[in-house]
Amino acid sequence: FYLMPHPSNSLIEIFDRSSSQIENLFLSAQNFSSASQASAYVGRSIALLFFEPSTRTKLSFQIAAGRLGLQSLLIDGSEGTSLVKGESIEDTVLNVAAMLPELIVIRCGQDFDLTQLKSKLNLPLINAGWGASGHPTQALLDVLTLKANGRSISQEKILIVGDVKHSRVAHSHFQLAKVLGYELAICGPASFAPSEFSGRSFDNLADGMKWASTVMALRVQRERHSVVHSLESYQRDFGINRKKLQGWREDGLLLHPGPVNYGVELDLDVQRDPRCKILDQVRWGTFLRQALLAEIMTERKIS
Ligand code: NCD
């Protein structure tokens, strides 16, 4: 069955959705946040296959599924699965797909090809973090958080600070900024700048903050580095603390996809700053994913 054409509602990259589909998703997420909806899909299942560690994304999809009445089949790391007996990730996914869940949510490393996998499946596939290449639901929930905080997205100037090169979140923002029309700039040490980004780049944090209406800090992803970077000089030059936030615009917003290395890219004291929306992102993430699951389920019913 896996040679059948893939369904079009997969979300592997932001470009899989149009701006109007994204706007509908935001509206639906906002409706879910204020209404208690009946569980529409009791007795149906989705598969969550997390081959890389996760806290927020995994639980967020689980809670979103539960609110819709969908049950989650979960693979959480290789331990306890036949991956430890040498079964491949692809074969694992094909076997899960043969159990006919409604869709598959997957997080995996760069060494695995999601685009190729999509062509072998007759089920929608949602990218929940794929190596450094993309994490579309995170970028979408970031923008939803800004909208929920009263921002007009086409006027936003988002400064992404830090390890942009290794960040799948940043890579999804490069696409989403093109679709929704917000401005993006990056800031960090030259070795963290991705070669494919041709937009505005600041090598000084204060200059970047002056430009930005939203600052998004990223985790320094040591597990993806081939050379060791000095965390001390990173914290001094690009780490964000209350002092650096002091003179910054009062209506600025501070985001971070998590997990935060407190003491590196952010100091703990920023949690007390009212501009810091990190937990708001997590909350909106559940509604965004609920809206995405509902969107895909509705399309499946029609087709
Ligand atoms: C990120 C991820 O795993 O891509 N976190 C997340 O999903 N919220 C960012 C990171 O790992 O630094």
Side-chain angles (χ1 to χ4, degrees), residues 52-54 56-57 107 128-129 131 135 138 167-169 218-221 223-224 256-259 289:
E52 278 196 349
S54 172
R56 277 149 293 269
T57 308
R107 169 170 287 196
H135 189 355
Q138 179 68 43
S167 171
R168 49 198 179 202
V169 178
L218 295 176
R219 185 172 65 88
V220 177
Q221 303 198 22
E223 78 277 16
R224 299 194 203 275
H256 189 303
R289 286 164 180 135

Side-chain angles (χ1 to χ4, degrees), residues 141-162:
L141 77 86
D142 293 340
V143 171
L144 177 61
T145 305
L146 297 179
K147 277 175 86 78
N149 279 278
R151 290 314 180 79
S152 162
I153 297 310
S154 58
Q155 274 148 48
E156 272 301 280
K157 292 179 167 181
I158 304 182
L159 180 73
I160 307 186
V161 182

